[in-house]
Amino acid sequence: MEHCERDHKAVGRRPFDKMATLLAYLGPPEHRPLDSQWSSMDMTSTKFEEIMSKHNMHEKDEFKSLKNQHIFYQAGTSKGGNPVFYYIARRYKVGEINGDLLIYHVLLTLKPFYHKPFELVIDFTHTCSENRFRTDFLSKWFVVMPENVYQNIVAAYIYNCNSWVREYTKYHDRILAPLRVNYNNRKLNFIDHPAKLNEYIDPDQQKLPGTTVSLEEDLRVFNNALKLSHKDTKVAIKVGPNAIQVTSSEKSRVLGHQVLLNDVYYAAEIEEVCLVDDNQFTLTIANESGPLSFIHNDCDNIVQAIIHIRTRWELSQPDTVAVHTKIRPKDVPGTLLNVALLNLGSSDPSLRSAAYNLLCALTQTFDLKIEGQLLETNGLCIPANNTIFIKSISEKLAEKEPHLTLEFLEECIQGFGNSNIEMKHLCLEYITPWLPNLTRFCKQCDENKRQKVALILDKLITMTIEEEEMYPSIQAKIWGNIGQIGDLLDMVLDSFIKRSVTGGLGSIQAEIMADTAVALTSANVQLVSRKVIGRLCRLIDKTCTSPTPTLEQHLMWDDIAILARYLLMLSFNNSLDVASHLPFLFHIVTLLVSTGPLSLRASTHGLVINIIHSLCTCSQLHFGESPNSDNRSLSPESTLQVLKLSLAEFSLPKFYQLFGISKVKSAAVSAFRTSYRPGDRSFTMSPPENEKMPLSSLEAIADALLEIMEACMKDIPSCEWLQQWTDLAKRFAFQYNPALQPRAIIVFGCISKSVTDSEVKQLLKIMMKGRPPYSLTFTHTCTLQSFGEKSDSLQDQMGPRRTQPSCIEALESYTDLTLIEAVVMCLTRLQPMLKAESPIHKFLFWVAISVLQLDEVSLYAAGLALLEQNLHTLDNMGLFEKKSLEKIMMETREPLEWHFKQLDHYMGLSFQFNFNFALVGHLLKGFRHPSPTTVSRTIRVLHQLLSITVKPSVRDKFEVTTQTVAYLAALVSVSEEVRSRCHLKHRTANYMISESPSTESLNTELSSSQGVSPSAPPPTTTVVTPPQNAPPTTASTPLPRRQKSCDLLDQNAMTAARMGKNVQLTQSQFKHLLQGKSVSLDLDQNSRPPLTKFRSSSMPTPGSNKLESSKSAIQQPRSGRSSVSNENNVLLDPDILMDYPTQALVLTVLATLVRNTTDENETRILYEYLAEASVVFPKVFPVIHSLLDAKINNVLSLCHDQAILNAVQSIIQNMIACEDASQQQLSYLQSIGFGGLWRFAGTFTKSSGSSDTAELFVNCLEKAMMVESCLPGDDLDILNPYPSSLGISSNLNLSSSMSSLSVGSMHSPTDKDIVDKNGTNGGRIRHASANNLPTKNRAGSFKQKEKKKLMEPIE
């Protein structure tokens, strides 16, 4: 029973012990000031006074001390007889004075005058941030101040308002809004000179502080100076006995008033004054962000005056004698031990003897375990060279008496600076054995001990920075030894980073710390390199918890940039242990490349060079031996050759441009050139002229790094480098982080060796709007404990869920554009690796088409590359051998037909009506792309489509059919091969460069070819006639038609043409004929003509079977021709193009091309074909009149090419000769679903309509996610890619933040082609050419299954 009771007691104590431990860890509770009560009650001045009185605040010493500081007081009266109160702003110190007590003091001081008028003087002389009211405290004043105070205050005089006050009032503009109300605003009076205050208060009644009044005494004033800043300001410089005043000559707006600002700097604050030249000087003030620069004609006198008052102040200060730190009883042994050891190395024999005896006395008095090695005696002769003896004594004491470590090291460091060079070297020798003892105090729960260790490390860092002569010895003796102490490294790195951040990126101390990290690593490469890389990975990882548009804007940027500099320093001579960390290093490079200032960009480039160099030279990797080289695809010698070639390649200007350092001569020099000045952050931030890195640059870098990794992996059995790198990229690819997610997606696409339907599906989700049901959860089980890091979960730092803006909002967002572009580029890379049976292959065709529809420069290039890759992949799979592209793709979109029909209707390009012309309509815009690569790709895709289209019918691809004519018409102006195979029926090829033939000869040729006399009008029997049931047209009810250019021609010419007369016109005659060319209609590309219910007599009516017959005719073989020769293959052949809609679409394609082209040769070719079309299809030609009007006017006004003029002449004559009252309008194109054919093919414009396109596309994608036949695949599992040895743990729960599709960037990148000769790369089919683009961010969101994966530690 007794035993059982003890067990219960033990069990009962355990929770108590845990609670006690937890309370000890948490420390004492934080002081909760009365501020916490403000939110829990409706606070008023009465309640506030009651609370303060209840706590007897007015009797406390703190309150009495505050009153004695005279921050707020009443003294004297104004000229109006009102009492005057004074508030001296500089006397209030934030953090030192209790704000609630100040409010209480003000209320008590004002209380007797609540119901009387009074006036207020606010002295802002030398007020700065340390005198500010925090935002919440500022609000309290307006809450508790009684209303009658505002009513009874007659006037408030603001004296010496300065620049800081102006910024403060602007920042708190909302809170201070009541002061700008007319009634209150009239009470404000800004005083810029004592004489102005005299107007309101008599001088003898003024009670301003003496330091404020004395500023106006004995002044030397220098007017017409110019203060240089982002906005140069005209100022007056006043130099007084104790301070400088910089008074603006131009008024600034403060609280609705125009005010002269007066900045005061006391002599004690002046750190440096420097004369730049005769007319410029700089002034360095303590606590200012940077030097102040001024221009004045009398700079020399100003500088001398400032130096004088600074010197005068220094002389007025009492002599300061260095006082040694007080020695506490417990410090005695350590202090005296340092004295003894240091003086044992003295050059004075007697001092050496005395130091030895002191050492003996210490061992006896404090029972130091030296084991009888010392014996105190007189007359002992100690040689001057006894360093080894001193070091041995120090080693034994460090081992036996480690409790002396902290006091001893602190004393050694303090005395180091006062010693000569020889003694400093000796000091370093006997300090070294004590350094490992510091770990004893790091592991203890005593926080004071840990803080003391941190203080010692900080002093060692200071010593390293300040001791220039001893710098190499300190690096070797101190930091080389500390690097061997694994348990101390985390605290050391903390101290290094803290000191580096304090100095700023590029500062001397930051560079020294990075340099010192090399000494740390020298003794323990694996451990230190793992710690540094792990810290940087963790910092980059944490940016996902509070993402910013760019990495440079993140709060952790300084830490990241500084650690990146550390990596550069450590990368030489394999101090980063590349054999263990290569995937992480490449991951870091791809995320940081081309970020930050020029020096950091060069550092990233240098890091890559050093990594490749380390791969070539490190001892862990052996590329020189091959046990079975016959079975290897790449010999060891060739592996080294790849690395050496890569070293040379990365130094080429091409790679300089990829890394964002194209303007530097030497990256190595730039990496070590810093432009740091104290307080100057220009080194830290990217220069404004640095553009964002195009994603194509990152793609090229990732490919180059992948080639290096694959070459090395062939010589390393069971190497998992690539898998680790892929896991890292995948993890960031599916986390919302605008700065890094697009980069990770690009890298994931470049380096992946396999892909699943689920992964592609999740990438497509990135292009959708965020939806609450989708979420992404990362569960990582790796801890930091083995790495000595705090195992804080990233979930704790996540805060509220982040949801990406919708696709529609993203249209104006450059970042989101980048993300969508990255996804499309990634899909282009991944598609060849999808399994052949995946239905996603076919769906990606429509994704590519939808991306083209977004009408954005960079996205168009990416979408076109995806389309090319999609067609290439499907063609290689043999899908087009039996079934046509049209049939396959229309079947694919059948489950989503309703959504795609909306897209077709909005774009004005109907795939349902004519698949081939709708596809061509999307591709014509590629000819207008600013990138030559995209233009070339457009031509390549059209040829590709031409080949695919004829595969099921086994025809020659240049044979004109109703299915191929769309592609042939699009290519005729840019492909010599197409022109050579698809002829003009009525013209010779050399007509394009011949002299202008007469209209007579032309008419004769046309008539003879058709058996009609020259005097007859051109025949129309080959054109499809209007349907029989078309309504007749009468003269009494003419059909409305648009006025054409030819309506404005000279009537004589028109009459002559109708009568069949011979007409031959010169260029000048053409210009004369176009008398009204200025009124010709040029349709706005952004306008969408409204649908009309009217149909002309020559157009098939809705009830006719003409459209149906035209659709069926597409499938029929050519009638009357079993084969086609090069001679009789005519592009505009009425025997082939028999239906009206096809004729209209062919002509519209030609007219659209000529309307938008700027190339004279293309213009000449297109007008030749249009001239023939005006003869062959005269009834259809009016459909495109409005497209040609403005262009023809322009040609006749400006063109000097006779061939073009001849073709235009022919067009005009045929337009006149065939003119009738039943002409067709562009509305016909709308009626068949092709109203956008001419409009979309124009130049890239940022139109508001693109947001509607994006919304329709997103809705379609969203629906596709629910249709298994379109997008199969389960939710994706994202594993923790970090091994436990790297010490990176996270538990991310990212919401539907990754979501949207966006358009809107005006950036037009430069594309490039990367051709793989074999068509494959490492077992995967690569796209024939690389894409390129700048981009923006978004991401699909989804719920992730929990899954664990064990990865081997990287050792």
Side-chain angles (χ1 to χ4, degrees):
M1 185 69 181
E2 185 178 343
H3 173 71
C4 185
E5 185 180 350
R6 284 199 304 271
D7 287 346
H8 280 296
K9 287 182 178 178
V11 172
R13 276 197 63 83
R14 279 193 212 108
F16 174 77
D17 290 340
K18 290 182 179 179
M19 178 61 72
T21 304
L22 178 61
L23 290 174
Y25 176 76
L26 293 175
E30 294 184 2
H31 171 65
R32 288 187 69 198
L34 294 173
D35 303 1
S36 60
Q37 302 178 19
W38 293 66
S39 59
S40 61
M41 63 176 68
D42 184 16
M43 182 60 65
T44 63
S45 60
T46 306
K47 288 183 179 179
F48 178 71
E49 286 189 50
E50 288 175 359
I51 293 171
M52 301 300 279
S53 177
K54 181 179 177 181
H55 290 83
N56 294 320
M57 287 296 181
H58 58 285
E59 295 180 359
K60 293 194 174 182
D61 292 339
E62 187 179 1
F63 182 78
K64 294 176 181 178
S65 174
L66 185 148
K67 286 180 64 177
N68 293 331
Q69 293 184 42
H70 297 291
I71 300 173
F72 186 82
Y73 54 90
Q74 191 277 322
T77 58
S78 67
K79 287 186 176 181
N82 301 317
V84 179
F85 292 84
Y86 293 85
Y87 176 77
I88 313 303
R90 63 179 177 276
R91 292 178 178 173
Y92 172 77
K93 307 288 186 185
V94 63
E96 296 180 13
I97 295 175
N98 187 314
D100 290 339
L101 290 181
L102 177 61
I103 293 178
Y104 189 43
H105 167 58
V106 171
L107 288 174
L108 292 181
T109 308
L110 285 173
K111 197 167 186 178
F113 304 90
Y114 271 2
H115 304 289
K116 302 177 183 178
F118 65 91
E119 298 177 31
L120 174 67
V121 176
I122 302 176
D123 182 9
F124 277 133
T125 303
H126 198 262
T127 304
C128 59
S129 58
E130 67 178 13
N131 312 121
R132 75 188 184 281
F133 291 157
R134 291 195 175 97
T135 304
D136 57 341
F137 183 53
L138 179 63
S139 302
K140 290 180 184 179
W141 287 94
F142 291 92
V143 174
V144 301
M145 199 59 62
E147 183 63 29
N148 51 3
V149 169
Y150 292 107
Q151 294 173 354
N152 288 322
I153 185 170
V154 176
Y157 309 106
I158 299 175
Y159 187 73
N160 269 345
C161 181
N162 60 23
S163 303
W164 181 87
V165 173
R166 177 189 59 186
E167 298 303 318
Y168 181 83
T169 55
K170 284 170 62 178
Y171 183 81
H172 295 92
D173 183 68
R174 182 181 58 82
I175 299 175
L176 297 173
L179 299 181
R180 296 199 312 275
V181 177
N182 287 338
Y183 176 71
N184 291 326
N185 205 24
R186 288 196 297 269
K187 296 181 179 182
L188 293 179
N189 292 282
F190 285 84
I191 308 297
D192 49 37
H193 193 274
K196 190 172 181 181
L197 185 61
N198 296 341
E199 297 175 10
Y200 306 102
I201 305 172
D202 290 326
D204 59 338
Q205 290 291 323
Q206 294 177 16
K207 303 299 179 183
L208 283 169
T211 52
T212 300
V213 176
S214 64
L215 288 174
E216 300 300 322
E217 300 172 356
D218 301 327
L219 287 179
R220 292 185 62 187
V221 181
F222 300 89
N223 292 311
N224 299 321
L226 194 65
K227 182 181 178 182
L228 304 180
S229 61
H230 65 281
K231 180 183 178 182
D232 296 344
T233 311
K234 194 174 181 181
V235 297
I237 300 174
K238 305 174 183 176
V239 184
N242 303 306
I244 305 168
Q245 300 177 62
V246 179
T247 306
S248 62
S249 303
E250 302 164 359
K251 292 190 176 183
S252 303
R253 193 171 185 81
V254 180
L255 293 176
H257 290 258
Q258 295 296 328
V259 181
L260 293 178
L261 305 179
N262 187 35
D263 295 316
V264 177
Y265 305 107
Y266 292 128
E269 297 177 293
I270 301 172
E271 292 184 348
E272 183 182 17
V273 57
C274 179
L275 190 64
V276 177
D277 53 40
D278 291 343
N279 296 319
Q280 184 177 352
F281 73 95
T282 60
L283 188 62
T284 305
I285 304 294
N287 301 321
E288 285 287 324
S289 59
L292 306 175
S293 295
F294 298 92
I295 292 178
H296 194 273
N297 292 332
D298 198 10
C299 282
D300 189 48
N301 283 332
I302 298 175
V303 169
Q304 292 300 324
I306 295 172
I307 292 174
H308 173 74
I309 66 167
R310 170 67 186 184
T311 305
R312 177 180 173 182
W313 175 82
E314 289 177 346
L315 293 175
S316 67
Q317 301 304 301
D319 294 335
T320 55
V321 179
V323 180
H324 197 284
T325 308
K326 289 183 179 180
I327 300 178
R328 296 165 296 178
K330 65 176 183 177
D331 297 339
V332 170
T335 303
L336 295 180
L337 180 59
N338 178 60
V339 172
L341 294 178
L342 186 63
N343 286 288
L344 271 171
S346 172
S347 57
D348 185 348
S350 59
L351 186 55
R352 290 199 296 271
S353 298
Y356 179 84
N357 289 333
L358 174 60
L359 185 59
C360 294
L362 276 173
T363 57
Q364 291 176 5
T365 305
F366 296 102
D367 195 23
L368 303 182
K369 298 178 180 63
I370 205 66
E371 297 178 353
Q373 189 175 347
L374 302 175
L375 179 63
E376 185 176 355
T377 183
N378 294 322
L380 194 65
C381 295
I382 302 174
N385 185 14
N386 60 354
T387 303
I388 295 175
F389 168 76
I390 296 170
K391 187 176 180 180
S392 66
I393 293 294
S394 182
E395 287 172 351
K396 289 181 180 180
L397 288 173
E399 181 183 355
K400 302 292 184 181
E401 306 289 344
H403 64 278
L404 299 176
T405 301
L406 296 180
E407 291 76 18
F408 176 70
L409 288 177
E410 197 167 357
E411 182 62 30
C412 291
I413 296 168
Q414 187 166 341
F416 189 88
N418 298 324
S419 305
N420 57 36
I421 193 73
E422 293 82 6
M423 303 293 273
K424 286 180 180 178
H425 282 289
L426 175 63
C427 186
L428 291 179
E429 292 292 338
Y430 68 71
I431 280 180
T432 304
W434 296 83
L435 297 175
N437 292 345
L438 290 173
T439 56
R440 287 168 50 97
F441 308 98
C442 295
K443 296 178 180 179
Q444 293 181 1
C445 296
D446 188 352
E447 188 61 28
N448 290 330
K449 296 284 187 182
R450 290 182 59 85
Q451 288 181 1
K452 200 160 187 179
V453 172
L455 181 62
I456 287 173
L457 291 174
D458 194 58
K459 289 183 176 181
L460 287 173
I461 290 171
T462 303
M463 187 172 78
T464 306
I465 295 171
E466 294 178 351
E467 295 288 343
E468 295 183 10
E469 290 184 347
M470 297 296 297
Y471 184 77
S473 299
I474 293 173
Q475 294 286 348
K477 294 291 184 181
I478 302 296
W479 301 114
N481 283 282
I482 288 178
Q484 301 177 40
I485 311 169
D487 292 337
L488 195 61
L489 281 180
D490 287 321
M491 186 173 282
V492 172
L493 287 176
D494 280 337
S495 299
F496 276 24
I497 294 171
K498 182 179 178 181
R499 181 61 69 92
S500 300
V501 171
T502 302
L505 178 61
S507 64
I508 298 298
Q509 54 203 73
E511 293 301 299
I512 289 176
M513 290 297 95
D515 202 31
T516 306
V518 179
L520 276 181
T521 311
S522 61
N524 196 336
V525 171
Q526 280 195 348
L527 181 60
V528 177
S529 60
R530 188 165 68 243
K531 292 281 188 185
V532 174
I533 293 171
R535 275 174 173 267
L536 182 51
C537 286
R538 188 173 64 256
L539 283 174
I540 294 174
D541 201 53
K542 285 183 178 180
T543 61
C544 296
T545 64
S546 54
T548 52
T550 64
L551 203 58
E552 293 94 330
Q553 294 173 329
H554 202 278
L555 289 174
M556 295 181 183
W557 167 246
D558 283 354
D559 295 44
I560 291 171
I562 283 165
L563 277 174
R565 293 287 295 173
Y566 283 26
L567 285 189
L568 173 66
M569 302 297 188
L570 298 178
S571 60
F572 176 67
N573 196 30
N574 196 30
S575 292
L576 285 177
D577 189 16
V578 292
S580 302
H581 302 134
L582 190 64
F584 304 97
L585 292 171
F586 280 3
H587 174 62
I588 290 168
V589 166
T590 55
L591 296 185
L592 297 186
V593 62
S594 197
T595 59
L598 191 63
S599 177
L600 190 62
R601 295 177 182 220
S603 298
T604 308
H605 179 270
L607 173 62
V608 174
I609 294 288
N610 285 4
I611 289 171
I612 302 172
H613 183 267
S614 295
L615 286 171
C616 295
T617 58
C618 71
S619 57
Q620 297 99 314
L621 302 175
H622 300 283
F623 302 126
E625 299 177 6
S626 173
N628 189 13
S629 60
D630 294 338
N631 298 328
R632 300 165 71 89
S633 60
L634 189 66
S635 67
E637 291 75 16
S638 59
T639 300
L640 280 175
Q641 190 65 25
V642 168
L643 295 176
K644 291 176 181 176
L645 287 174
S646 296
L647 275 174
E649 186 181 23
F650 271 91
S651 298
L652 294 175
K654 166 191 171 184
F655 272 87
Y656 274 29
Q657 185 171 8
L658 296 179
F659 278 79
I661 53 173
S662 57
K663 296 181 180 179
V664 306
K665 292 183 178 179
S666 169
V669 172
S670 298
F672 292 101
R673 178 183 294 136
T674 63
S675 59
Y676 176 80
R677 296 189 303 274
D680 181 12
R681 289 182 57 84
S682 62
F683 183 88
T684 312
M685 303 303 292
S686 300
E689 65 271 12
N690 282 340
E691 297 179 358
K692 300 297 178 185
M693 179 181 66
L695 290 185
S696 59
S697 298
L698 180 62
E699 195 177 38
I701 292 170
D703 284 337
L705 297 179
L706 177 63
E707 182 184 7
I708 292 168
M709 181 176 283
E710 288 180 330
C712 296
M713 287 174 64
K714 293 182 182 295
D715 292 307
I716 305 172
S718 304
C719 183
E720 296 185 353
W721 282 350
L722 186 54
Q723 185 58 47
Q724 286 180 321
W725 188 14
T726 305
D727 290 342
L728 287 164
K730 185 191 297 185
R731 180 166 180 268
F732 273 83
F734 296 105
Q735 291 186 60
Y736 175 61
N737 191 337
L740 301 180
Q741 189 180 9
R743 291 170 175 251
I745 290 174
I746 290 293
V747 175
F748 176 58
C750 290
I751 68 177
S752 293
K753 292 298 181 183
S754 63
V755 69
T756 64
D757 287 352
S758 296
E759 289 169 341
V760 174
K761 185 175 180 179
Q762 305 312 331
L763 283 170
L764 289 173
K765 283 185 179 180
I766 294 174
M767 304 169 76
M768 290 168 49
K769 299 178 187 177
R771 287 290 184 265
Y774 300 114
S775 63
L776 174 61
T777 305
F778 293 98
T779 305
H780 305 312
T781 57
C782 299
T783 64
L784 303 172
Q785 294 169 357
S786 62
F787 208 69
E789 302 287 354
K790 297 178 182 178
S791 55
D792 295 334
S793 160
L794 284 184
Q795 175 63 31
D796 299 335
Q797 307 168 29
M798 283 295 297
R801 284 186 162 195
R802 298 182 57 84
T803 301
Q804 287 186 320
S806 71
C807 158
I808 316 309
E809 294 167 351
L811 291 173
E812 303 302 325
S813 168
Y814 172 81
T815 306
D816 293 325
L817 255 188
T818 303
L819 184 59
I820 302 309
E821 185 183 0
V823 172
V824 176
M825 293 173 69
C826 182
L827 291 172
T828 306
R829 291 290 195 128
L830 294 179
Q831 189 187 353
M833 292 177 287
L834 271 173
K835 56 187 179 182
E837 61 272 18
S838 173
I840 295 180
H841 282 295
K842 300 173 186 175
F843 186 74
L844 287 179
F845 172 87
W846 293 109
V847 171
I849 294 298
S850 299
V851 172
L852 297 183
Q853 292 171 348
L854 296 174
D855 192 13
E856 200 284 325
V857 173
S858 61
L859 290 187
Y860 190 93
L864 189 63
L866 176 59
L867 178 63
E868 182 181 26
Q869 179 64 71
N870 180 262
L871 294 171
H872 180 72
T873 303
L874 295 177
D875 196 16
N876 286 343
M877 291 161 56
L879 259 65
F880 306 126
E881 300 297 331
K882 302 297 182 184
K883 293 175 69 175
S884 68
L885 172 67
E886 176 180 1
K887 188 171 183 180
I888 292 171
M889 292 309 168
M890 294 307 288
E891 288 176 357
T892 300
R893 85 175 203 171
E894 189 172 340
L896 304 170
E897 184 63 28
W898 188 81
H899 294 281
F900 277 111
K901 273 188 174 180
Q902 289 187 75
L903 275 169
D904 290 359
H905 175 73
Y906 184 80
M907 295 303 299
L909 294 166
S910 174
F911 283 94
Q912 194 73 38
F913 183 83
N914 194 311
F915 179 89
N916 298 308
F917 274 102
L919 191 50
V920 165
H922 287 83
L923 295 175
L924 291 181
K925 196 174 191 69
F927 290 134
R928 310 280 79 82
H929 199 277
S931 168
T933 307
T934 303
V935 176
S936 301
R937 180 174 284 129
T938 303
I939 298 171
R940 195 162 62 238
V941 171
L942 286 168
H943 276 289
Q944 192 178 12
L945 287 166
L946 195 58
S947 301
I948 289 171
T949 302
V950 300
K951 279 196 173 185
S953 60
V954 198
R955 294 177 181 270
D956 177 54
K957 74 175 185 178
F958 295 107
E959 181 181 350
V960 178
T961 68
T962 51
Q963 298 219 6
T964 61
V965 69
Y967 308 112
L968 293 170
L971 286 167
V972 71
S973 64
V974 293
S975 172
E976 180 64 36
E977 189 177 15
V978 170
R979 290 195 298 276
S980 66
R981 298 292 302 277
C982 302
H983 301 289
L984 290 165
K985 186 172 183 179
H986 304 293
R987 307 230 175 163
T988 59
N990 61 1
Y991 177 83
M992 299 180 185
I993 57 174
S994 66
E995 293 298 322
S996 172
S998 67
T999 306
E1000 178 183 9
S1001 61
L1002 174 61
N1003 290 337
T1004 301
E1005 180 186 349
L1006 295 178
S1007 302
S1008 61
S1009 66
Q1010 301 184 26
V1012 182
S1013 65
S1015 61
T1020 60
T1021 56
T1022 59
V1023 182
V1024 177
T1025 58
Q1028 298 299 321
N1029 58 353
T1033 307
T1034 64
S1036 60
T1037 58
L1039 296 177
R1041 64 182 181 87
R1042 195 181 61 76
Q1043 185 184 38
K1044 305 191 305 296
S1045 304
C1046 56
D1047 296 338
L1048 307 172
L1049 294 175
D1050 184 271
Q1051 295 302 313
N1052 293 330
M1054 294 174 65
T1055 304
R1058 290 191 177 107
M1059 296 176 61
K1061 293 182 179 180
N1062 297 337
V1063 182
Q1064 182 173 1
L1065 304 177
T1066 64
Q1067 179 181 354
S1068 60
Q1069 288 172 314
F1070 271 119
K1071 296 180 180 179
H1072 176 69
L1073 289 175
L1074 284 177
Q1075 299 168 0
K1077 58 181 178 252
S1078 61
V1079 299
S1080 62
L1081 179 61
D1082 186 11
L1083 294 183
D1084 181 4
Q1085 290 190 18
N1086 292 323
S1087 66
R1088 299 181 182 272
L1091 286 170
T1092 175
K1093 297 180 180 179
F1094 171 80
R1095 293 177 183 271
S1096 104
S1097 60
S1098 62
M1099 183 188 306
T1101 62
S1104 71
N1105 295 324
K1106 190 150 306 288
L1107 299 186
E1108 286 75 3
S1109 65
S1110 70
K1111 288 289 282 187
S1112 61
I1114 296 176
Q1115 308 299 331
Q1116 302 297 326
R1118 288 185 167 203
S1119 60
R1121 294 206 304 183
S1122 58
S1123 63
V1124 62
S1125 66
N1126 191 36
E1127 289 74 19
N1128 62 5
N1129 190 44
V1130 179
L1131 181 65
L1132 303 174
D1133 191 340
D1135 294 333
I1136 305 301
L1137 311 180
M1138 300 174 61
D1139 59 292
Y1140 191 96
T1142 303
Q1143 296 169 3
L1145 291 173
V1146 171
L1147 266 61
T1148 304
V1149 168
L1150 295 174
T1152 301
L1153 287 171
V1154 79
R1155 173 185 172 87
N1156 293 307
T1157 187
T1158 56
D1159 183 87
E1160 190 171 10
N1161 188 51
E1162 291 181 17
T1163 303
R1164 184 185 307 118
I1165 295 164
L1166 290 167
Y1167 273 124
E1168 285 295 321
Y1169 282 88
L1170 284 169
E1172 173 153 317
S1174 68
V1175 175
V1176 178
F1177 305 129
K1179 291 291 184 182
V1180 187
F1181 204 83
V1183 173
I1184 62 170
H1185 280 173
S1186 59
L1187 295 180
L1188 295 178
D1189 279 351
K1191 192 74 176 182
I1192 287 178
N1193 287 342
N1194 190 55
V1195 167
L1196 296 177
S1197 301
L1198 304 174
C1199 182
H1200 299 281
D1201 188 298
Q1202 194 62 46
I1204 295 176
L1205 291 171
N1206 291 340
V1208 170
Q1209 172 188 350
S1210 176
I1211 291 171
I1212 294 175
Q1213 296 306 318
N1214 285 297
M1215 288 165 65
I1216 297 171
C1218 300
E1219 185 179 21
D1220 59 39
S1222 59
Q1223 298 178 56
Q1224 301 306 317
Q1225 308 277 324
L1226 282 176
S1227 58
Y1228 172 64
L1229 294 176
Q1230 289 181 295
S1231 70
I1232 62 173
F1234 277 86
L1237 178 57
W1238 62 273
R1239 185 172 53 246
F1240 180 72
T1243 56
F1244 288 85
T1245 57
K1246 193 171 183 180
S1247 63
S1248 59
S1250 58
S1251 62
D1252 298 325
T1253 311
E1255 184 175 16
L1256 292 171
F1257 178 32
V1258 167
N1259 292 337
C1260 187
L1261 269 180
E1262 189 176 46
K1263 181 67 176 176
M1265 295 295 169
M1266 305 175 188
V1267 180
E1268 187 68 18
S1269 61
C1270 293
L1271 291 175
D1274 300 323
D1275 288 339
L1276 192 61
D1277 292 321
I1278 305 297
L1279 303 174
N1280 178 24
Y1282 298 109
S1284 57
S1285 58
L1286 253 196
I1288 299 172
S1289 164
S1290 55
N1291 181 12
L1292 297 183
N1293 181 13
L1294 300 183
S1295 73
S1296 55
S1297 58
M1298 303 186 294
S1299 57
S1300 95
L1301 195 161
S1302 64
V1303 203
S1305 168
M1306 296 304 292
H1307 186 67
S1308 56
T1310 306
D1311 208 348
K1312 66 179 183 64
D1313 287 342
I1314 303 176
V1315 180
D1316 188 339
K1317 295 179 181 178
N1318 301 322
T1320 60
N1321 188 353
R1324 56 181 286 195
I1325 300 174
R1326 290 284 183 179
H1327 189 279
S1329 56
N1331 336 338
N1332 101 186
L1333 324 115
T1335 68
K1336 218 160 203 186
N1337 308 351
R1338 243 347 134 151
S1341 51
F1342 49 93
K1343 179 133 175 139
Q1344 167 193 346
K1345 297 178 180 176
E1346 292 190 3
K1347 182 175 178 183
K1348 294 183 180 179
K1349 176 179 177 183
L1350 297 176
M1351 298 183 66
E1352 292 296 325
I1354 51 173
E1355 289 293 338

